[in-house]
Amino acid sequence: MKSFRVVPQISCCETFQEFAEQFQIGDGDILVTNRRRYEKYVKPVGIMLPALFREDYGKGEPTDEMIDAMAKDMADYHPERIIAFGGGTIVDICKVLALDLPERSQMLFTGEAAPKKARELIIIPTTCGTGSEVTNVTIAELKSLHVKKGLAAEETYGDHAVLIPESLQDLPDYVFATSSIDALIHSLESFLSPKASPFSEMYSLQAMKMIMGGYKMILERGGNRAENRADLLEEFGLAAAYAGIAFGNAGCGAVHALSYSIGAAFHVPHGEANYQFFTEVFKTYMKRAPEGKIDRVNGVLAGILGCGRDAVYSEIEKVLDQLIARKPLREYGMTEEQIDVFTDSTLENQQRLLANNYVPLDRNEIHEIFAKLR
């Protein structure tokens, strides 16, 4: 049986001020964001609201150490609602902070502690990529274990997802590229997942059409710059949510599974890490089962890109390489010996994702992908 759900209540507001008024922000709330965003969007509204600033707890993507430090400080306020106003790192952290926290947050990711919802969670995404505002997945690097792990549980859903196009206007070019490419991969992997349903497929297809079509417009206007995408931000924000709804129901697969190796080892941002593996994984799928469901995806993409189905992934690379460059994994620091290490780590730690592959990939195929990309 295949099922489909959209759990958070999804709202759209033009500005943070509109959101603050509609949700009656104030007593009992705590905001998790960064200082620049607070100064630009929150402070002018004039609400007295306690805030935890992400940069006070470390750099990069979520870690259990960041979560534990923020949980300790949050306990001073006894909040009833958490407002996550930020990108994937802030959102993933807040999904954990909304739980009844054990002594160490690591215990939730390893299964030593069961997740229990303790606080209401409102999520306002400020990137157009993770789709985390509508999913029940949170990812963190477990520092002591030297591994990235995901936690997927009913309790990690947000209660509200609020889309505010205004909050995307300050995205640096690099962050726009990496986040929206992540959303594109979400749409493709979820469409090919064996857990996909006609409903999730609808969201997957719409997201990939919006993102690839948006890229074409941006590049025709002269490249990935803020002025060339200003009128497309609402579309990209919606596409990220659509892709999030799709993969929240159907899951992601090998691209994400393999990318966690370099993400954890070399602190490569999530979207960039995914892109390094994206087309190579899909080319491997094509070798295995070119006449299957992937042919439907290729037909859609070929129509957008104006190319033949056989050339889809080469053409995608031409488009995406104008947004962010791919590079050999050795430039991140990956050694030849780590090909075996990362292959085995992926098989050991990422079965949750590998179960969603379009076709199963054995150890030799995963090893070959790492070797070829190094």
Side-chain angles (χ1 to χ4, degrees):
M1 182 181 76
K2 295 178 179 179
S3 60
F4 179 81
R5 297 177 67 204
V6 181
V7 175
Q9 179 174 314
I10 303 174
S11 304
C12 297
C13 297
E14 290 297 321
T15 64
F16 186 89
Q17 180 163 355
E18 180 186 347
F19 155 73
E21 293 169 355
Q22 292 296 320
F23 281 76
Q24 298 182 328
I25 300 305
D27 291 343
D29 295 329
I30 190 168
L31 178 71
V32 181
T33 189
N34 64 28
R35 281 189 172 81
R36 180 190 57 78
R37 201 170 289 120
Y38 181 88
E39 291 292 327
K40 182 168 184 177
Y41 298 108
V42 183
K43 193 174 181 179
V45 176
I47 297 173
M48 297 300 293
L49 190 65
L52 301 179
F53 297 117
R54 178 260 174 119
E55 57 265 45
D56 291 343
Y57 299 89
K59 299 179 180 179
E61 297 189 334
T63 70
D64 56 337
E65 293 177 355
M66 286 184 195
I67 295 169
D68 292 341
M70 294 178 90
K72 181 179 178 181
D73 290 346
M74 185 184 72
D76 294 337
Y77 298 99
H78 307 287
E80 298 172 5
R81 290 196 302 188
I82 299 174
I83 302 166
F85 185 29
T89 293
I90 286 173
V91 173
D92 278 5
I93 287 173
C94 288
K95 285 183 174 183
V96 183
L97 293 178
L99 302 176
D100 184 5
L101 292 163
E103 180 183 354
R104 292 174 294 119
S105 60
Q106 173 185 301
M107 298 167 68
L108 291 163
F109 292 88
T110 60
E112 298 171 73
K116 296 178 183 178
K117 192 71 173 280
R119 301 163 192 87
E120 187 175 339
L121 176 59
I122 301 171
I123 300 173
I124 307 172
T126 60
T127 66
C128 49
T130 68
S132 190
E133 66 273 13
V134 292
T135 75
N136 69 335
V137 178
T138 179
I139 308 293
E141 179 185 350
L142 308 182
K143 284 289 193 177
S144 63
L145 301 180
H146 307 290
V147 68
K148 261 188 173 183
K149 286 191 75 87
L151 171 64
E154 186 78 11
E155 293 80 5
T156 55
Y157 275 115
D159 298 281
H160 296 271
V162 185
L163 307 182
I164 306 177
E166 175 190 67
S167 67
L168 303 179
Q169 64 188 6
D170 296 328
L171 277 178
D173 297 342
Y174 168 82
V175 177
F176 170 79
T178 56
S179 63
S180 58
I181 289 172
D182 189 26
L184 176 65
I185 295 169
H186 289 160
S187 70
L188 288 159
E189 288 206 292
S190 61
F191 186 85
L192 295 180
S193 168
K195 297 177 184 174
S197 70
F199 294 97
S200 68
E201 289 173 0
M202 175 180 67
Y203 281 91
S204 296
L205 287 170
Q206 185 62 22
M208 67 179 80
K209 289 175 183 177
M210 293 168 76
I211 294 168
M212 288 305 302
Y215 285 161
K216 284 191 68 178
M217 292 182 66
I218 289 168
L219 295 178
E220 287 168 1
R221 293 171 176 178
N224 181 26
R225 296 192 296 274
E227 63 269 24
N228 293 336
R229 58 178 187 263
D231 60 335
L232 301 173
L233 294 178
E234 184 174 1
E235 287 277 298
F236 273 96
L238 286 170
Y242 292 164
I245 290 169
F247 95 78
N249 281 274
C252 288
V255 176
H256 279 71
L258 272 66
S259 76
Y260 287 149
S261 58
I262 67 167
F266 309 120
H267 307 291
V268 183
H270 180 65
E272 180 177 344
N274 278 339
Y275 181 37
Q276 307 311 307
F277 293 92
F278 168 33
T279 53
E280 195 59 40
V281 167
F282 274 69
K283 288 175 183 177
T284 303
Y285 287 161
M286 283 289 293
K287 293 176 188 175
R288 289 283 305 278
E291 304 300 326
K293 195 175 180 182
I294 198 169
D295 190 52
R296 287 180 60 193
V297 171
N298 294 345
V300 171
L301 295 172
I304 297 171
L305 294 166
C307 66
R309 294 181 185 221
D310 292 344
V312 160
Y313 298 103
S314 296
E315 290 299 313
I316 286 177
E317 288 173 353
K318 291 178 184 178
V319 171
L320 301 190
D321 283 349
Q322 295 180 69
L323 302 173
I324 180 175
R326 286 171 300 140
K327 56 188 180 182
L329 300 184
R330 60 180 171 272
E331 292 191 17
Y332 293 111
M334 181 176 170
T335 65
E336 189 168 352
E337 291 74 18
Q338 286 176 310
I339 296 173
D340 282 320
V341 174
F342 288 169
T343 298
D344 292 335
S345 176
T346 300
L347 289 167
E348 179 181 351
N349 294 301
Q350 305 301 341
Q351 286 300 319
R352 177 182 66 86
L353 295 168
L354 294 174
N356 301 323
N357 286 357
Y358 169 55
V359 292
L361 299 181
D362 61 26
R363 187 186 188 281
N364 288 337
E365 288 168 318
I366 293 174
H367 187 279
E368 183 179 345
I369 291 170
F370 276 117
K372 188 169 183 179
L373 294 177
R374 185 186 172 273

